[in-house]
mmCIF file of all heavy atoms in Angstrom:
data_model
loop_
_atom_site.group_PDB
_atom_site.id
_atom_site.type_symbol
_atom_site.label_atom_id
_atom_site.label_comp_id
_atom_site.label_asym_id
_atom_site.label_seq_id
_atom_site.Cartn_x
_atom_site.Cartn_y
_atom_site.Cartn_z
ATOM 1 N N CYS A 23 119.625 -136.025 -13.716
ATOM 2 C CA CYS A 23 120.903 -136.583 -14.219
ATOM 3 C C CYS A 23 120.669 -138.068 -14.209
ATOM 4 O O CYS A 23 120.478 -138.705 -13.227
ATOM 5 C CB CYS A 23 122.041 -136.296 -13.276
ATOM 6 S SG CYS A 23 123.600 -137.104 -13.657
ATOM 7 N N ALA A 24 120.620 -138.613 -15.429
ATOM 8 C CA ALA A 24 120.475 -140.053 -15.643
ATOM 9 C C ALA A 24 121.845 -140.670 -15.892
ATOM 10 O O ALA A 24 122.637 -140.223 -16.568
ATOM 11 C CB ALA A 24 119.663 -140.242 -16.928
ATOM 12 N N ALA A 25 122.099 -141.800 -15.133
ATOM 13 C CA ALA A 25 123.405 -142.381 -15.014
ATOM 14 C C ALA A 25 123.330 -143.780 -15.597
ATOM 15 O O ALA A 25 122.298 -144.435 -15.542
ATOM 16 C CB ALA A 25 123.935 -142.489 -13.611
ATOM 17 N N SER A 26 124.401 -144.227 -16.227
ATOM 18 C CA SER A 26 124.536 -145.607 -16.760
ATOM 19 C C SER A 26 125.964 -146.007 -16.892
ATOM 20 O O SER A 26 126.824 -145.078 -16.944
ATOM 21 C CB SER A 26 123.849 -145.661 -18.124
ATOM 22 O OG SER A 26 124.472 -144.794 -19.062
ATOM 23 N N GLY A 27 126.218 -147.236 -16.798
ATOM 24 C CA GLY A 27 127.577 -147.792 -17.056
ATOM 25 C C GLY A 27 128.375 -148.023 -15.824
ATOM 26 O O GLY A 27 129.643 -148.400 -15.894
ATOM 27 N N PHE A 28 127.837 -147.736 -14.683
ATOM 28 C CA PHE A 28 128.528 -147.990 -13.404
ATOM 29 C C PHE A 28 127.480 -148.327 -12.311
ATOM 30 O O PHE A 28 126.286 -148.250 -12.581
ATOM 31 C CB PHE A 28 129.372 -146.912 -12.991
ATOM 32 C CG PHE A 28 128.638 -145.580 -12.667
ATOM 33 C CD1 PHE A 28 128.395 -145.296 -11.306
ATOM 34 C CD2 PHE A 28 128.224 -144.744 -13.632
ATOM 35 C CE1 PHE A 28 127.706 -144.107 -10.964
ATOM 36 C CE2 PHE A 28 127.569 -143.622 -13.318
ATOM 37 C CZ PHE A 28 127.269 -143.235 -11.966
ATOM 38 N N SER A 29 127.988 -148.681 -11.143
ATOM 39 C CA SER A 29 127.126 -149.134 -10.049
ATOM 40 C C SER A 29 126.633 -147.872 -9.332
ATOM 41 O O SER A 29 127.229 -147.367 -8.474
ATOM 42 C CB SER A 29 127.865 -150.020 -9.064
ATOM 43 O OG SER A 29 127.008 -150.429 -8.020
ATOM 44 N N PHE A 30 125.476 -147.380 -9.817
ATOM 45 C CA PHE A 30 124.825 -146.160 -9.356
ATOM 46 C C PHE A 30 124.577 -146.276 -7.846
ATOM 47 O O PHE A 30 124.718 -145.333 -7.117
ATOM 48 C CB PHE A 30 123.705 -145.814 -10.172
ATOM 49 C CG PHE A 30 122.998 -144.565 -9.734
ATOM 50 C CD1 PHE A 30 123.448 -143.292 -10.250
ATOM 51 C CD2 PHE A 30 121.906 -144.551 -8.875
ATOM 52 C CE1 PHE A 30 122.831 -142.113 -9.869
ATOM 53 C CE2 PHE A 30 121.223 -143.355 -8.504
ATOM 54 C CZ PHE A 30 121.753 -142.157 -8.950
ATOM 55 N N ASN A 31 124.091 -147.483 -7.464
ATOM 56 C CA ASN A 31 123.566 -147.698 -6.109
ATOM 57 C C ASN A 31 124.696 -147.433 -5.043
ATOM 58 O O ASN A 31 124.405 -147.197 -3.912
ATOM 59 C CB ASN A 31 122.971 -148.962 -5.882
ATOM 60 C CG ASN A 31 121.652 -149.133 -6.631
ATOM 61 O OD1 ASN A 31 121.468 -148.524 -7.684
ATOM 62 N ND2 ASN A 31 120.806 -149.970 -6.185
ATOM 63 N N THR A 32 125.997 -147.592 -5.377
ATOM 64 C CA THR A 32 127.047 -147.477 -4.472
ATOM 65 C C THR A 32 127.801 -146.195 -4.647
ATOM 66 O O THR A 32 128.974 -146.080 -4.012
ATOM 67 C CB THR A 32 127.953 -148.725 -4.669
ATOM 68 O OG1 THR A 32 128.586 -148.732 -5.942
ATOM 69 C CG2 THR A 32 127.212 -149.974 -4.337
ATOM 70 N N ALA A 33 127.387 -145.233 -5.409
ATOM 71 C CA ALA A 33 128.181 -143.986 -5.704
ATOM 72 C C ALA A 33 127.426 -142.836 -5.046
ATOM 73 O O ALA A 33 126.219 -142.689 -5.275
ATOM 74 C CB ALA A 33 128.226 -143.891 -7.216
ATOM 75 N N ALA A 34 128.246 -142.064 -4.438
ATOM 76 C CA ALA A 34 127.719 -140.757 -3.982
ATOM 77 C C ALA A 34 127.685 -139.774 -5.292
ATOM 78 O O ALA A 34 128.459 -139.939 -6.182
ATOM 79 C CB ALA A 34 128.616 -140.118 -3.089
ATOM 80 N N MET A 35 126.647 -138.912 -5.246
ATOM 81 C CA MET A 35 126.439 -138.056 -6.301
ATOM 82 C C MET A 35 126.353 -136.584 -5.744
ATOM 83 O O MET A 35 125.974 -136.292 -4.771
ATOM 84 C CB MET A 35 125.088 -138.389 -7.093
ATOM 85 C CG MET A 35 124.960 -139.825 -7.515
ATOM 86 S SD MET A 35 126.072 -140.214 -8.908
ATOM 87 C CE MET A 35 125.369 -139.090 -10.238
ATOM 88 N N SER A 36 126.798 -135.678 -6.739
ATOM 89 C CA SER A 36 126.747 -134.301 -6.429
ATOM 90 C C SER A 36 126.453 -133.459 -7.668
ATOM 91 O O SER A 36 126.517 -133.978 -8.798
ATOM 92 C CB SER A 36 128.204 -133.832 -5.961
ATOM 93 O OG SER A 36 128.426 -134.264 -4.631
ATOM 94 N N TRP A 37 125.971 -132.306 -7.464
ATOM 95 C CA TRP A 37 125.801 -131.260 -8.443
ATOM 96 C C TRP A 37 126.783 -130.113 -8.228
ATOM 97 O O TRP A 37 126.991 -129.729 -7.106
ATOM 98 C CB TRP A 37 124.354 -130.699 -8.374
ATOM 99 C CG TRP A 37 123.333 -131.605 -8.887
ATOM 100 C CD1 TRP A 37 122.559 -132.450 -8.144
ATOM 101 C CD2 TRP A 37 122.747 -131.766 -10.194
ATOM 102 N NE1 TRP A 37 121.681 -133.161 -8.905
ATOM 103 C CE2 TRP A 37 121.876 -132.754 -10.220
ATOM 104 C CE3 TRP A 37 123.226 -131.177 -11.430
ATOM 105 C CZ2 TRP A 37 121.170 -133.117 -11.427
ATOM 106 C CZ3 TRP A 37 122.601 -131.585 -12.586
ATOM 107 C CH2 TRP A 37 121.575 -132.509 -12.585
ATOM 108 N N PHE A 38 127.519 -129.765 -9.284
ATOM 109 C CA PHE A 38 128.370 -128.640 -9.317
ATOM 110 C C PHE A 38 127.823 -127.675 -10.293
ATOM 111 O O PHE A 38 126.941 -127.923 -11.131
ATOM 112 C CB PHE A 38 129.760 -129.122 -9.708
ATOM 113 C CG PHE A 38 130.477 -129.841 -8.680
ATOM 114 C CD1 PHE A 38 130.307 -131.226 -8.471
ATOM 115 C CD2 PHE A 38 131.481 -129.289 -7.867
ATOM 116 C CE1 PHE A 38 130.988 -131.949 -7.557
ATOM 117 C CE2 PHE A 38 132.213 -129.982 -6.945
ATOM 118 C CZ PHE A 38 131.927 -131.305 -6.765
ATOM 119 N N ARG A 39 128.249 -126.447 -10.202
ATOM 120 C CA ARG A 39 127.955 -125.365 -11.170
ATOM 121 C C ARG A 39 129.206 -124.570 -11.394
ATOM 122 O O ARG A 39 130.062 -124.415 -10.633
ATOM 123 C CB ARG A 39 126.787 -124.485 -10.677
ATOM 124 C CG ARG A 39 127.108 -123.613 -9.517
ATOM 125 C CD ARG A 39 125.782 -122.974 -9.120
ATOM 126 N NE ARG A 39 126.039 -122.006 -8.016
ATOM 127 C CZ ARG A 39 125.126 -121.327 -7.373
ATOM 128 N NH1 ARG A 39 123.815 -121.483 -7.698
ATOM 129 N NH2 ARG A 39 125.367 -120.492 -6.409
ATOM 130 N N GLN A 40 129.212 -123.881 -12.632
ATOM 131 C CA GLN A 40 130.334 -123.081 -13.062
ATOM 132 C C GLN A 40 129.825 -121.963 -13.988
ATOM 133 O O GLN A 40 129.257 -122.263 -15.047
ATOM 134 C CB GLN A 40 131.461 -123.978 -13.757
ATOM 135 C CG GLN A 40 132.661 -123.128 -14.026
ATOM 136 C CD GLN A 40 133.770 -124.001 -14.461
ATOM 137 O OE1 GLN A 40 133.620 -125.138 -14.967
ATOM 138 N NE2 GLN A 40 135.069 -123.589 -14.306
ATOM 139 N N ALA A 41 130.080 -120.770 -13.613
ATOM 140 C CA ALA A 41 129.681 -119.616 -14.435
ATOM 141 C C ALA A 41 130.985 -119.205 -15.126
ATOM 142 O O ALA A 41 132.106 -119.475 -14.660
ATOM 143 C CB ALA A 41 129.146 -118.456 -13.581
ATOM 144 N N PRO A 42 130.834 -118.630 -16.309
ATOM 145 C CA PRO A 42 131.966 -118.131 -17.076
ATOM 146 C C PRO A 42 132.998 -117.270 -16.226
ATOM 147 O O PRO A 42 132.601 -116.351 -15.493
ATOM 148 C CB PRO A 42 131.456 -117.252 -18.120
ATOM 149 C CG PRO A 42 130.090 -117.866 -18.330
ATOM 150 C CD PRO A 42 129.602 -118.253 -17.001
ATOM 151 N N GLY A 43 134.331 -117.716 -16.243
ATOM 152 C CA GLY A 43 135.249 -116.940 -15.506
ATOM 153 C C GLY A 43 135.357 -117.464 -14.064
ATOM 154 O O GLY A 43 136.307 -116.909 -13.379
ATOM 155 N N ASN A 44 134.539 -118.333 -13.583
ATOM 156 C CA ASN A 44 134.597 -118.713 -12.191
ATOM 157 C C ASN A 44 134.947 -120.128 -12.096
ATOM 158 O O ASN A 44 134.962 -120.892 -13.037
ATOM 159 C CB ASN A 44 133.219 -118.539 -11.535
ATOM 160 C CG ASN A 44 132.728 -117.141 -11.418
ATOM 161 O OD1 ASN A 44 133.466 -116.276 -11.521
ATOM 162 N ND2 ASN A 44 131.387 -116.938 -11.143
ATOM 163 N N GLU A 45 135.349 -120.537 -10.915
ATOM 164 C CA GLU A 45 135.806 -121.827 -10.613
ATOM 165 C C GLU A 45 134.509 -122.702 -10.454
ATOM 166 O O GLU A 45 133.431 -122.201 -10.075
ATOM 167 C CB GLU A 45 136.609 -121.953 -9.338
ATOM 168 C CG GLU A 45 138.028 -121.436 -9.470
ATOM 169 C CD GLU A 45 138.885 -121.675 -8.318
ATOM 170 O OE1 GLU A 45 138.334 -122.164 -7.257
ATOM 171 O OE2 GLU A 45 140.044 -121.465 -8.365
ATOM 172 N N ARG A 46 134.680 -123.965 -10.609
ATOM 173 C CA ARG A 46 133.554 -124.977 -10.455
ATOM 174 C C ARG A 46 133.264 -125.104 -9.004
ATOM 175 O O ARG A 46 134.189 -125.358 -8.146
ATOM 176 C CB ARG A 46 133.892 -126.313 -11.122
ATOM 177 C CG ARG A 46 132.670 -127.228 -11.104
ATOM 178 C CD ARG A 46 133.006 -128.405 -12.055
ATOM 179 N NE ARG A 46 133.231 -127.956 -13.435
ATOM 180 C CZ ARG A 46 133.305 -128.742 -14.525
ATOM 181 N NH1 ARG A 46 133.239 -130.051 -14.323
ATOM 182 N NH2 ARG A 46 133.584 -128.236 -15.651
ATOM 183 N N GLU A 47 132.067 -124.914 -8.513
ATOM 184 C CA GLU A 47 131.685 -124.957 -7.178
ATOM 185 C C GLU A 47 130.670 -126.029 -6.820
ATOM 186 O O GLU A 47 129.681 -126.194 -7.658
ATOM 187 C CB GLU A 47 131.237 -123.588 -6.646
ATOM 188 C CG GLU A 47 129.931 -123.199 -7.216
ATOM 189 C CD GLU A 47 129.305 -121.916 -6.540
ATOM 190 O OE1 GLU A 47 129.474 -121.868 -5.387
ATOM 191 O OE2 GLU A 47 128.726 -121.093 -7.253
ATOM 192 N N GLY A 48 130.899 -126.674 -5.719
ATOM 193 C CA GLY A 48 129.870 -127.678 -5.343
ATOM 194 C C GLY A 48 128.563 -127.067 -4.919
ATOM 195 O O GLY A 48 128.486 -126.032 -4.200
ATOM 196 N N VAL A 49 127.427 -127.580 -5.344
ATOM 197 C CA VAL A 49 126.123 -127.139 -4.930
ATOM 198 C C VAL A 49 125.403 -128.029 -3.980
ATOM 199 O O VAL A 49 124.857 -127.489 -2.927
ATOM 200 C CB VAL A 49 125.274 -127.023 -6.210
ATOM 201 C CG1 VAL A 49 123.828 -126.561 -5.845
ATOM 202 C CG2 VAL A 49 125.907 -126.007 -7.161
ATOM 203 N N ALA A 50 125.482 -129.370 -4.219
ATOM 204 C CA ALA A 50 124.740 -130.217 -3.320
ATOM 205 C C ALA A 50 125.314 -131.651 -3.452
ATOM 206 O O ALA A 50 125.885 -132.000 -4.518
ATOM 207 C CB ALA A 50 123.272 -130.323 -3.660
ATOM 208 N N TYR A 51 125.222 -132.422 -2.385
ATOM 209 C CA TYR A 51 125.784 -133.739 -2.322
ATOM 210 C C TYR A 51 124.694 -134.721 -1.756
ATOM 211 O O TYR A 51 123.937 -134.363 -0.852
ATOM 212 C CB TYR A 51 126.952 -133.780 -1.486
ATOM 213 C CG TYR A 51 127.520 -135.132 -0.977
ATOM 214 C CD1 TYR A 51 128.464 -135.809 -1.688
ATOM 215 C CD2 TYR A 51 126.960 -135.687 0.121
ATOM 216 C CE1 TYR A 51 128.928 -137.055 -1.251
ATOM 217 C CE2 TYR A 51 127.480 -136.894 0.609
ATOM 218 C CZ TYR A 51 128.454 -137.591 -0.124
ATOM 219 O OH TYR A 51 128.909 -138.773 0.373
ATOM 220 N N ILE A 52 124.723 -135.975 -2.264
ATOM 221 C CA ILE A 52 123.811 -136.926 -1.654
ATOM 222 C C ILE A 52 124.625 -138.311 -1.635
ATOM 223 O O ILE A 52 125.321 -138.630 -2.545
ATOM 224 C CB ILE A 52 122.580 -137.086 -2.411
ATOM 225 C CG1 ILE A 52 121.531 -137.985 -1.697
ATOM 226 C CG2 ILE A 52 122.721 -137.544 -3.878
ATOM 227 C CD1 ILE A 52 120.129 -137.957 -2.221
ATOM 228 N N SER A 53 124.540 -138.999 -0.466
ATOM 229 C CA SER A 53 125.286 -140.153 -0.285
ATOM 230 C C SER A 53 124.573 -141.292 -1.185
ATOM 231 O O SER A 53 123.496 -141.121 -1.696
ATOM 232 C CB SER A 53 125.302 -140.586 1.193
ATOM 233 O OG SER A 53 123.993 -140.862 1.651
ATOM 234 N N PHE A 54 125.352 -142.404 -1.186
ATOM 235 C CA PHE A 54 124.840 -143.528 -2.138
ATOM 236 C C PHE A 54 123.452 -144.024 -1.728
ATOM 237 O O PHE A 54 122.694 -144.446 -2.637
ATOM 238 C CB PHE A 54 125.859 -144.605 -2.088
ATOM 239 C CG PHE A 54 125.885 -145.432 -0.746
ATOM 240 C CD1 PHE A 54 125.156 -146.523 -0.580
ATOM 241 C CD2 PHE A 54 126.689 -145.001 0.248
ATOM 242 C CE1 PHE A 54 125.129 -147.212 0.598
ATOM 243 C CE2 PHE A 54 126.755 -145.650 1.504
ATOM 244 C CZ PHE A 54 125.943 -146.894 1.637
ATOM 245 N N SER A 55 123.051 -143.941 -0.488
ATOM 246 C CA SER A 55 121.847 -144.394 -0.054
ATOM 247 C C SER A 55 120.708 -143.359 -0.022
ATOM 248 O O SER A 55 119.562 -143.650 0.133
ATOM 249 C CB SER A 55 121.917 -145.066 1.291
ATOM 250 O OG SER A 55 122.315 -144.065 2.322
ATOM 251 N N GLY A 56 121.240 -142.065 -0.104
ATOM 252 C CA GLY A 56 120.332 -140.954 0.043
ATOM 253 C C GLY A 56 120.096 -140.452 1.465
ATOM 254 O O GLY A 56 119.417 -139.495 1.684
ATOM 255 N N TYR A 57 120.766 -141.136 2.380
ATOM 256 C CA TYR A 57 120.634 -140.849 3.770
ATOM 257 C C TYR A 57 121.259 -139.473 4.182
ATOM 258 O O TYR A 57 120.598 -138.727 4.955
ATOM 259 C CB TYR A 57 121.246 -141.943 4.692
ATOM 260 C CG TYR A 57 121.206 -141.693 6.120
ATOM 261 C CD1 TYR A 57 119.965 -141.977 6.767
ATOM 262 C CD2 TYR A 57 122.154 -141.233 6.819
ATOM 263 C CE1 TYR A 57 119.785 -141.813 8.166
ATOM 264 C CE2 TYR A 57 122.064 -141.081 8.270
ATOM 265 C CZ TYR A 57 120.879 -141.313 8.873
ATOM 266 O OH TYR A 57 120.744 -141.116 10.252
ATOM 267 N N THR A 58 122.335 -139.141 3.534
ATOM 268 C CA THR A 58 123.026 -137.906 3.873
ATOM 269 C C THR A 58 122.955 -136.976 2.621
ATOM 270 O O THR A 58 123.211 -137.281 1.613
ATOM 271 C CB THR A 58 124.465 -138.167 4.228
ATOM 272 O OG1 THR A 58 124.576 -139.099 5.326
ATOM 273 C CG2 THR A 58 125.216 -136.860 4.574
ATOM 274 N N THR A 59 122.622 -135.683 2.978
ATOM 275 C CA THR A 59 122.678 -134.636 1.973
ATOM 276 C C THR A 59 123.447 -133.438 2.521
ATOM 277 O O THR A 59 123.371 -133.128 3.685
ATOM 278 C CB THR A 59 121.252 -134.218 1.493
ATOM 279 O OG1 THR A 59 120.511 -133.744 2.716
ATOM 280 C CG2 THR A 59 120.506 -135.309 0.891
ATOM 281 N N VAL A 60 124.141 -132.717 1.628
ATOM 282 C CA VAL A 60 124.950 -131.545 1.968
ATOM 283 C C VAL A 60 124.663 -130.487 0.969
ATOM 284 O O VAL A 60 124.567 -130.829 -0.271
ATOM 285 C CB VAL A 60 126.445 -131.855 2.190
ATOM 286 C CG1 VAL A 60 127.114 -130.608 2.611
ATOM 287 C CG2 VAL A 60 126.613 -133.064 3.065
ATOM 288 N N TYR A 61 124.535 -129.228 1.480
ATOM 289 C CA TYR A 61 124.374 -128.128 0.421
ATOM 290 C C TYR A 61 125.323 -127.035 0.713
ATOM 291 O O TYR A 61 125.844 -126.813 1.799
ATOM 292 C CB TYR A 61 122.930 -127.539 0.684
ATOM 293 C CG TYR A 61 121.808 -128.503 0.418
ATOM 294 C CD1 TYR A 61 121.231 -129.291 1.451
ATOM 295 C CD2 TYR A 61 121.368 -128.755 -0.918
ATOM 296 C CE1 TYR A 61 120.259 -130.223 1.186
ATOM 297 C CE2 TYR A 61 120.396 -129.712 -1.101
ATOM 298 C CZ TYR A 61 119.823 -130.436 -0.058
ATOM 299 O OH TYR A 61 118.816 -131.330 -0.343
ATOM 300 N N SER A 62 125.612 -126.280 -0.299
ATOM 301 C CA SER A 62 126.443 -125.182 -0.217
ATOM 302 C C SER A 62 125.757 -123.954 0.472
ATOM 303 O O SER A 62 124.472 -124.032 0.467
ATOM 304 C CB SER A 62 126.985 -124.695 -1.602
ATOM 305 O OG SER A 62 125.930 -124.192 -2.327
#
């Protein structure tokens, strides 16, 4: 995921996924520094 137009270094980032007919679910999270990660 390539980001532009905002301060990427100060933003937490996540991956979500959604299958047809399902709700969007969180897959993984990473803090702005990369120090903290969380997984479903």
